[in-house]
Amino acid sequence: MMKFVMFKKSLEEGVSPIYLFDGEEEYFKERGEDMLKERYLSEPSLNYTSFNGENLKGSEMISLVRGAESFPFLSEKRLVKAVDFYPTEKEYESYLKSYFENPQESTILLIMNSRAPKGKVMDLKKIKTVTHVDCSKADDETVMRWIFTQFKRAGISVDAECCERIARYCLSDMSRVAGETEKLKAYALQGGVITAQVVDDVVYRDTDYKMYELTGAIARKNYTAYLSVMNELISKGVDEMNILNGVCNYFRTLFEIVAMGRSDADTANLLGQKEYFVKKQRQQAMMMSKQRVKDCYLNVFNAINDVKNGKISQTGALLCVNAAIFFGA
């Protein structure tokens, strides 16, 4: 078994025919898959196949084996991925053992598991041809070291305190850490310096970050993602009024940006915001018409006033706002 931080270095010595990536850190698994594709696949569209492990039961596992036994086309390797794949010992003996004992040299079989298996299953980690990569959450020190390395490679100065602050604000969730680090790199640019104040201004924290996800889902018109984040916020004790205020502030800012009709720099000065944020918010506003942005803002604003005047409950107001934003009700 190896920790994910050693995976990239291990590729310098050669690739294994079968990998098992397991653990709760999705970023590590996605990054590991990208590394394999970048290094060994010349034509990913022709040499990549993905299977949902939940659909591979009994004899259906033969399709996975056939995919792995296929030869690559105009590429050094072929990559076959199986997600959440937990064969039983009987299934392994009947359908997989032959391949696992003598895997195709030109194929990389990548098994990516997240959840705990249900019932008794084959322990793939014990198979000699399987390289087990531990993708569990990294400790804080590893996360901080990763952050520091990313800034160093980008030519940006940062101290240990700022790295610790970024990790803490992101709860050491690597997907969040990676996203916020990229945002900070874009903000500072090469030769820049990351300070504690910059981290506080740029990095989203806890509820703030969830509100960012919520408004991002609105911009993408993804109602399912919006509901998921909204329900998570409510489950963590955030009341409907706070959500309404967050959505109202979001649309108010978008409306102010499009209504001013000025450059990002001028708008940032007038609103007292960073130019970087104005640019990003303008991009979101451009996904909707100016009238649509205004209508959404007034709708949320009026709903909040109705709550304050006792005309409607917070829950009712939020339901009405959701309907208006996504369905034009």
Side-chain angles (χ1 to χ4, degrees):
M1 183 195 76
M2 73 175 78
K3 288 287 188 179
F4 178 80
V5 291
M6 299 301 297
F7 174 67
K8 183 176 181 179
K9 186 174 180 62
S10 74
L11 294 180
E12 297 174 3
E13 301 174 3
V15 66
S16 297
I18 305 174
Y19 284 101
L20 170 62
F21 286 8
D22 72 347
E24 67 274 28
E25 188 57 81
E26 294 300 321
Y27 175 82
F28 288 156
K29 286 179 278 189
E30 292 170 3
R31 185 71 191 104
E33 180 182 349
D34 288 341
M35 287 181 189
L36 291 171
K37 286 180 177 178
E38 292 165 4
R39 195 177 186 102
Y40 297 105
L41 270 62
S42 302
E43 295 288 342
S45 61
L46 301 174
N47 295 285
Y48 173 79
T49 305
S50 180
F51 294 88
N52 184 336
E54 293 183 353
N55 297 329
L56 296 175
K57 304 297 181 185
S59 61
E60 294 170 350
M61 293 185 186
I62 295 174
S63 60
L64 174 67
V65 174
R66 286 175 177 168
E69 289 176 337
S70 299
F71 290 96
F73 183 73
L74 300 176
S75 179
E76 179 182 354
K77 298 284 186 180
R78 173 177 173 78
L79 180 63
V80 177
K81 181 175 75 171
V83 179
D84 290 332
F85 183 53
Y86 304 96
T88 64
E89 292 182 1
K90 182 178 180 180
E91 288 172 328
Y92 175 79
E93 290 290 332
S94 300
Y95 306 108
L96 303 172
K97 184 177 180 180
S98 177
Y99 181 84
F100 274 68
E101 290 184 345
N102 186 29
Q104 174 74 269
E105 291 184 2
S106 59
T107 293
I108 302 170
L109 176 58
L110 175 60
I111 301 169
M112 298 173 65
N113 291 343
S114 300
R115 59 177 175 77
K118 297 178 181 179
K120 189 175 182 180
V121 299
M122 181 67 187
D123 189 353
L124 299 177
K125 296 190 291 291
K126 293 182 178 180
I127 301 173
K128 291 183 179 180
T129 55
V130 174
T131 298
H132 176 212
V133 181
D134 181 5
C135 295
S136 56
K137 283 191 175 295
D139 57 69
D140 291 344
E141 183 179 346
T142 300
V143 174
M144 289 169 59
R145 188 164 56 246
W146 184 91
I147 295 169
F148 180 83
T149 301
Q150 297 303 305
F151 286 125
K152 183 178 180 181
R153 289 174 179 171
I156 297 171
S157 299
V158 65
D159 60 23
E161 180 187 351
C162 289
C163 292
E164 186 276 333
R165 189 176 295 231
I166 295 167
R168 176 160 44 88
Y169 286 175
C170 296
L171 305 178
S172 291
D173 181 312
M174 277 304 301
S175 294
R176 280 192 58 193
V177 168
E180 296 298 332
T181 300
E182 286 301 312
K183 192 162 63 173
L184 284 164
K185 284 162 63 177
Y187 182 88
L189 300 179
Q190 187 172 5
V193 177
I194 299 295
T195 64
Q197 186 60 54
V198 169
V199 174
D200 286 346
D201 288 343
V202 174
V203 176
Y204 288 93
R205 288 159 279 178
D206 298 326
T207 302
D208 291 337
Y209 180 77
K210 287 301 176 184
M211 286 303 303
Y212 172 75
E213 284 190 326
L214 190 80
T215 54
I218 293 174
R220 298 191 307 274
K221 300 179 182 178
N222 189 330
Y223 186 59
T224 301
Y226 173 86
L227 277 185
S228 176
V229 178
M230 184 189 75
N231 290 333
E232 184 177 351
L233 283 168
I234 292 174
S235 71
K236 290 183 177 180
V238 178
D239 64 30
E240 290 91 341
M241 199 62 173
N242 283 334
I243 294 175
L244 286 167
N245 284 326
V247 174
C248 186
N249 289 336
Y250 168 72
F251 279 113
R252 183 188 65 211
T253 302
L254 292 192
F255 179 62
E256 289 173 340
I257 289 172
V258 296
M260 286 180 184
R262 294 171 176 258
S263 67
D264 291 341
D266 288 342
T267 303
N269 287 331
L270 290 169
L271 295 180
Q273 291 192 6
K274 301 291 185 181
E275 184 176 344
Y276 174 81
F277 291 127
V278 170
K279 180 180 178 181
K280 291 297 181 183
Q281 289 167 324
R282 190 185 301 280
Q283 290 173 353
Q284 292 186 339
M286 290 175 65
M287 298 172 69
M288 299 179 277
S289 68
K290 181 178 178 180
Q291 186 61 47
R292 179 65 177 150
V293 171
K294 180 181 179 181
D295 289 344
C296 287
Y297 165 58
L298 292 177
N299 195 294
V300 186
F301 180 80
N302 291 332
I304 291 173
N305 280 337
D306 286 343
V307 172
K308 291 179 178 178
N309 293 325
K311 294 181 179 180
I312 192 172
S313 67
Q314 293 182 22
T315 301
L318 185 56
L319 288 173
C320 290
V321 165
N322 292 347
I325 291 173
F326 287 96
F327 308 109

